[in-house]
Amino acid sequence: MADNTAADHEKEHEQSFVESMKEKITETFHDGDSASSDSDHDGKDSSPVEDVKNKIYRLFGREKPVHKLLGGGKPADIFLWKDKKVSAGVLGFATLIWVLFELVEYHLLTLVCHTLILALAVLFLWSNASSFINKSPPKFPDVALPEDVVLGVANALRIEINQALVILKSIASGKDLKKFLAVVAGLWVVSILGSCWNFLTLFYTLFVLLHTVPYLYDRYEDKVDAFCEKAEAEIKKQYGVFSVKVLSKVPVGSLKSKFA
């Protein structure tokens, strides 16, 4: 009887030990799952703005605002009509130049000479008329180009030209075929446009587009992005159909064997 009681006691002790170990293991896994779920939850909640931004479709995959894409500063303010008077003045001046050279068919040298003649005549008459009305002649300010402005413009042009040369060098090196084909296609399109319009009209058209397209896109970017997203999805869908019906039936293997 004593042996049976001791054996039963040992069995109960082993069962209680096994159950306690099971409980500890279960609690350990449960704590690990809860910690991982909490960490995942924290990771998801830590950047909800980034998740929303990643889901929003932007035209050409842009990440920066339109103002920064245009270079920022005063040129971007002019193109986006931040100061309407300055933007309207710049666009009006460009329109006047285009009308004079394209519609009136003025020449550059003729326009410069006529402008100088008019300015000198007005100043000369104003200076001589002051003696008849008993007033002192007007004092003309000294007009001179500041050195820092000229050096700044020259430095900016130098930087842009050097960047363009670096880009052309990278394209001509043959490392990026897509970029090479895109540049060739762009130049070909520009050559076609140049054959239809002269340089001044083409330049003025691009200038007007720079003053209208970025402003309209910045104002209605959500609607434009939504429309472009639908258009891109439709283009991909049609390309998939074209690939299945046409491109998949092209015997690529036989062509490779012929040219091999």
Side-chain angles (χ1 to χ4, degrees):
M1 293 293 293
D3 295 336
N4 292 331
T5 303
D8 294 336
H9 183 69
E10 289 179 357
K11 289 180 179 179
E12 291 177 356
H13 181 70
E14 291 177 356
Q15 291 177 356
S16 62
F17 177 75
V18 171
E19 290 177 357
S20 64
M21 290 298 294
K22 287 182 178 179
E23 290 177 358
K24 289 181 179 181
I25 293 171
T26 304
E27 290 177 357
T28 302
F29 279 105
H30 180 70
D31 293 338
D33 293 337
S34 62
S36 62
S37 62
D38 291 337
S39 63
D40 293 339
H41 183 69
D42 293 337
K44 291 179 180 178
D45 292 340
S46 61
S47 59
V49 178
E50 293 180 359
D51 294 338
V52 172
K53 286 183 179 180
N54 292 330
K55 292 180 181 179
I56 296 176
Y57 175 86
R58 293 300 181 191
L59 188 63
F60 303 120
R62 67 177 182 87
E63 297 178 356
K64 298 180 180 179
V66 181
H67 190 272
K68 289 186 178 180
L69 290 177
L70 293 175
K74 292 183 179 180
D77 292 340
I78 293 174
F79 292 141
L80 295 178
W81 293 77
K82 299 296 183 182
D83 191 345
K84 294 183 179 180
K85 292 182 179 179
V86 176
S87 300
V90 172
L91 186 59
F93 179 75
T95 304
L96 177 63
I97 294 297
W98 179 77
V99 169
L100 288 175
F101 285 106
E102 188 64 23
L103 299 182
V104 184
E105 295 183 354
Y106 243 70
H107 297 285
L108 178 61
L109 185 59
T110 305
L111 178 63
V112 171
C113 292
H114 287 178
T115 304
L116 290 176
I117 291 172
L118 180 62
L120 290 175
V122 171
L123 294 175
F124 180 81
L125 292 175
W126 186 17
S127 299
N128 288 292
S130 60
S131 60
F132 294 100
I133 58 178
N134 296 323
K135 286 186 178 181
S136 61
K139 294 181 179 180
F140 300 108
D142 295 332
V143 180
L145 290 176
E147 184 178 359
D148 55 349
V149 174
V150 176
L151 293 177
V153 173
N155 189 30
L157 290 175
R158 180 183 63 83
I159 293 173
E160 295 296 332
I161 292 173
N162 288 335
Q163 289 181 352
L165 292 175
V166 170
I167 294 173
L168 291 175
K169 181 180 178 181
S170 64
I171 293 172
S173 62
K175 296 179 180 180
D176 194 344
L177 181 60
K178 291 183 179 180
K179 186 182 291 185
F180 171 76
L181 294 177
V183 172
V184 171
L187 293 175
W188 182 67
V189 171
V190 172
S191 66
I192 293 176
L193 294 176
S195 63
C196 298
W197 299 286
N198 57 20
F199 176 75
L200 182 61
T201 302
L202 183 60
F203 181 79
Y204 175 71
T205 303
L206 295 177
F207 193 78
V208 173
L209 290 177
L210 279 175
H211 277 77
T212 53
V213 175
Y215 171 73
L216 294 175
Y217 176 71
D218 184 62
R219 189 172 180 179
Y220 305 103
E221 61 177 342
D222 294 333
K223 296 180 180 180
V224 174
D225 289 339
F227 177 78
C228 291
E229 185 179 9
K230 293 179 181 179
E232 183 178 353
E234 184 65 24
I235 291 173
K236 289 181 178 180
K237 181 181 177 181
Q238 296 298 329
Y239 178 78
V241 174
F242 177 76
S243 178
V244 171
K245 292 184 178 181
V246 179
L247 297 180
S248 61
K249 297 180 181 180
V250 177
V252 181
S254 60
L255 291 175
K256 288 183 177 179
S257 61
K258 289 180 179 179
F259 288 101

